[in-house]
Amino acid sequence: MKVLLVGDGARENALADALGSSPKGYKVYAVSSFINPGINEIVNKTGGKYFKGNINSPEFIKEVIREVNPDFGVIGPEDPLFHGVANAFREEGLPVVGPDKECAMIERSKVWMRELMWKYNIPGRLRFKAFSDLKEAINFILEYGGSIAVKPSEQVGGKGVKVVADLQAYLSQEKRNAIARGIDGIAGYVSDKVKIIVEEKVDGPEYTLHVLTDGYSFLPLPLAQDYKHAYEDGIGPETGGMGSISGPEYGLPFINDEEYKRSFEIVKMTAEAIKKEVGKDYIGILSGQMMLTGVWGPTIIEYYSRLGDPEASAIIPRIESDFGEVLELLATRRLNKAKIEVNPKPSVVRALAPLGYPLNRTMASNHRISVDLQKMRELGCKVYFGSVALEGMQLVTKGSRALEIVAIDEDFEKASDKLDKCLNYVSSDTKLIVRHDIGRTVREQVEKAEIVRYTYKSREAKGTLGVTADWSPNGGLW
């Protein structure tokens, strides 16, 4: 059976690994904008073929489909979904893991997502106000005294560019002025008529729940937590993710079973609302980027219309059942037959990126990198290649996160120790950024969750869950 994988990052390397190691013997064909060495290894091992080209072009993807004639497809990144690549598969009569572009609006537009959640009364929704006029946004921020988050209205490559207020009851004039100065920079990332979205500011431990759905059935995956900031202790610019953790079992140490179930219900309700809104079944992976807050408990920060990256690298290696077959059952709308068996041990992922990432991609590009895969595998680490191209016999960085290294062990500390050893077998002609604290801050997250849990449980007992005094009930500010 032939499968066509679209995408070129570490997430797609993890998906290719799952497909290539399936007992069903899939032949893996791949389409990328460059030759990813990890994906290439699996393509060669399974007897498939690699195609290089524009992964966001439905026309190009159709050409590849006609040559390969795959049995199903798997789309990894969000941009092909936004451009209608899943639609192209279905127009060619082929099943695919990935929602049509109409359904992928849940990730592409934060305004569309927020309006949908309010329209269908979905729990965990934040109050917001959207602006197409930047001067109005600036005036609003200067006048409003509450704690807020300011974001671009569109998805911007998973980097979540935003300017966030602090946790004080009100912002000083200097802080509000600083946020106002950042508005123009945020607006430059988007093309929608609506440029800026201002949301109520919430705080708490973040986590991601990925849910597989074929429009009929729903299958949740283990939770993961992403580490967005570039440098140790959560400082520095936001990135696509410098690492992640998952486990033990299906949860995380700071999210209990009741919160997991509530999170699953929120994502499920959202998928059903999307169908009502656009008239199409959501077929693929719907991922809630969530936060445990004192306002709601499980709260939606944003949605992904695909697997998160690097969350996928933390989750997929923990799945002991045939995840390749699960992807086939998802694409062919037979998800009710799928089973997920999970390694109860936790995983830790650390990404390595060239110096310059994420602010200067030119500086982070065209560097040589060397990886001793055999040694790292002997130590029990998995290596997924990200923004690294195979050029001749050399590995060359492309400007983003180059590698994601995964370790699974009895606890987070032991997995982190294993990663420390594996990192010794990576070298480059430039400095590589890596966060050694990933997997070592779990206790602080548990303490934070306990405080938040007390708050939202108190609200729930009083019947005030989701209510804040300075926000109107129709999704905008007073």
Side-chain angles (χ1 to χ4, degrees):
M1 185 174 282
K2 294 183 287 187
V3 55
L4 180 59
L5 175 66
V6 178
D8 44 36
R11 166 185 47 223
E12 289 73 49
N13 191 169
L15 288 166
D17 188 37
L19 291 161
S21 60
S22 168
K24 296 200 70 173
Y26 298 111
K27 278 191 174 184
V28 179
Y29 295 74
V31 185
S32 299
S33 56
F34 56 85
I35 303 299
N36 177 300
I39 298 173
N40 189 59
E41 179 184 10
I42 293 154
V43 168
N44 291 334
K45 182 183 76 172
T46 62
K49 184 177 178 180
Y50 216 127
F51 298 83
K52 191 166 72 168
N54 183 1
I55 63 173
N56 296 327
S57 168
E59 293 75 22
F60 173 67
I61 298 299
K62 283 184 178 182
E63 290 176 10
V64 176
I65 287 171
R66 289 162 188 165
E67 179 175 341
V68 172
N69 191 25
D71 294 282
F72 69 101
V74 178
I75 302 171
E78 64 272 24
D79 281 340
L81 298 173
F82 300 162
H83 285 85
V85 169
N87 301 62
F89 270 89
R90 295 186 177 106
E91 287 165 8
E92 293 295 306
L94 291 173
V96 62
V97 175
D100 285 347
K101 64 180 180 181
E102 295 84 357
C103 298
M105 280 294 291
I106 193 67
E107 176 174 9
R108 184 168 189 173
S109 171
K110 292 181 177 66
V111 176
W112 193 87
M113 179 267 286
R114 289 290 174 217
E115 289 175 345
L116 184 87
M117 293 189 74
W118 278 92
K119 180 177 180 179
Y120 292 94
N121 201 32
I122 298 171
R125 59 192 181 272
L126 293 179
R127 281 99 177 150
F128 72 98
K129 194 171 181 66
F131 296 91
S132 55
D133 188 305
L134 302 186
K135 289 183 179 179
E136 286 184 13
I138 291 170
N139 289 336
F140 172 80
I141 290 166
L142 292 175
E143 292 171 6
Y144 178 65
S147 195
I148 55 175
V150 185
K151 304 178 183 181
S153 63
E154 288 183 356
Q155 171 60 249
V156 287
K159 306 307 178 291
V161 177
K162 54 185 179 287
V163 184
V164 183
D166 64 15
L167 300 178
Q168 296 174 359
Y170 58 89
L171 295 173
S172 68
Q173 186 64 39
E174 290 78 11
K175 288 175 182 174
R176 279 181 274 152
N177 286 339
I179 286 182
R181 288 194 297 270
I183 291 292
D184 287 335
I186 293 174
Y189 281 91
V190 297
S191 57
D192 268 359
K193 291 180 180 178
V194 178
K195 298 287 187 181
I196 297 295
I197 181 170
V198 180
E199 297 176 346
E200 63 177 312
K201 175 71 170 61
V202 287
D203 188 49
E206 293 192 41
Y207 61 100
T208 308
L209 175 62
H210 300 82
V211 178
L212 281 58
T213 177
D214 61 359
Y216 306 124
S217 303
F218 295 86
L219 186 63
L221 296 180
L223 297 181
Q225 184 184 49
D226 183 17
Y227 289 69
K228 288 288 189 190
H229 291 276
Y231 309 130
E232 306 276 334
D233 301 319
I235 63 174
E238 285 203 350
T239 71
M242 291 302 294
S244 57
I245 61 172
S246 180
E249 303 290 348
Y250 263 77
L252 287 162
F254 44 86
I255 302 297
N256 62 35
D257 289 343
E258 180 188 357
E259 289 154 359
Y260 181 96
K261 291 174 183 175
R262 286 193 187 190
S263 302
F264 175 45
E265 187 60 28
I266 289 170
V267 178
K268 183 179 177 182
M269 289 176 68
T270 302
E272 292 168 344
I274 293 170
K275 179 179 179 179
K276 293 175 184 175
E277 192 69 13
V278 305
K280 285 189 169 188
D281 287 327
Y282 192 105
I283 306 169
I285 301 164
L286 182 59
S287 309
Q289 179 68 37
M290 309 189 82
M291 181 183 285
L292 192 69
T293 75
V295 177
W296 275 107
T299 305
I300 290 290
I301 302 303
E302 60 183 350
Y303 274 106
Y304 303 150
S305 52
R306 36 74 194 186
L307 282 169
D309 186 356
E311 295 98 321
S313 297
I315 295 169
I316 291 175
R318 297 185 61 230
I319 297 176
E320 296 184 331
S321 48
D322 186 351
F323 192 59
E325 182 182 34
V326 171
L327 293 170
E328 179 195 343
L329 293 171
L330 170 55
T332 56
R333 308 194 71 177
R334 296 176 292 147
L335 191 61
N336 63 317
K337 297 182 179 180
K339 294 181 180 179
I340 296 285
E341 296 174 5
V342 175
N343 185 336
K345 297 177 183 178
S347 62
V348 179
V349 178
R350 290 186 193 157
L352 288 86
L355 186 66
Y357 175 79
L359 300 178
N360 189 336
R361 299 300 183 93
T362 301
M363 179 180 175
S365 298
N366 298 313
H367 295 284
R368 303 295 181 266
I369 189 167
S370 299
V371 183
D372 192 333
L373 284 175
Q374 183 176 343
K375 287 285 189 183
M376 296 171 83
R377 287 168 177 170
E378 287 173 0
L379 287 169
C381 292
K382 273 188 171 291
V383 180
Y384 295 131
F385 288 87
S387 184
V388 173
L390 182 62
E391 297 181 1
M393 298 299 292
Q394 293 184 319
L395 304 180
V396 181
T397 64
K398 303 294 288 183
S400 187
R401 295 160 293 167
L403 301 172
E404 292 175 12
I405 305 175
V406 191
I408 299 174
D409 216 312
E410 296 294 334
D411 55 44
F412 290 109
E413 194 66 33
K414 289 180 179 178
S416 298
D417 290 341
K418 189 182 289 185
L419 286 175
D420 287 339
K421 295 175 183 176
C422 288
L423 288 171
N424 293 323
Y425 295 98
V426 181
S427 60
S428 177
D429 62 11
T430 187
K431 179 179 173 59
L432 295 173
I433 301 168
V434 62
R435 283 187 58 175
H436 296 273
D437 62 326
I438 293 173
R440 292 197 164 103
T441 60
V442 175
R443 182 178 297 177
E444 292 91 330
Q445 298 290 330
V446 171
E447 293 171 354
K448 191 173 189 178
E450 288 175 353
I451 296 170
V452 170
R453 191 171 292 120
Y454 175 83
T455 302
Y456 88 76
K457 283 292 184 182
S458 298
R459 283 177 172 271
E460 190 174 37
K462 297 173 183 175
T464 59
L465 202 62
V467 176
T468 46
D470 53 352
W471 294 79
S472 73
N474 65 352
L477 292 164
W478 285 114

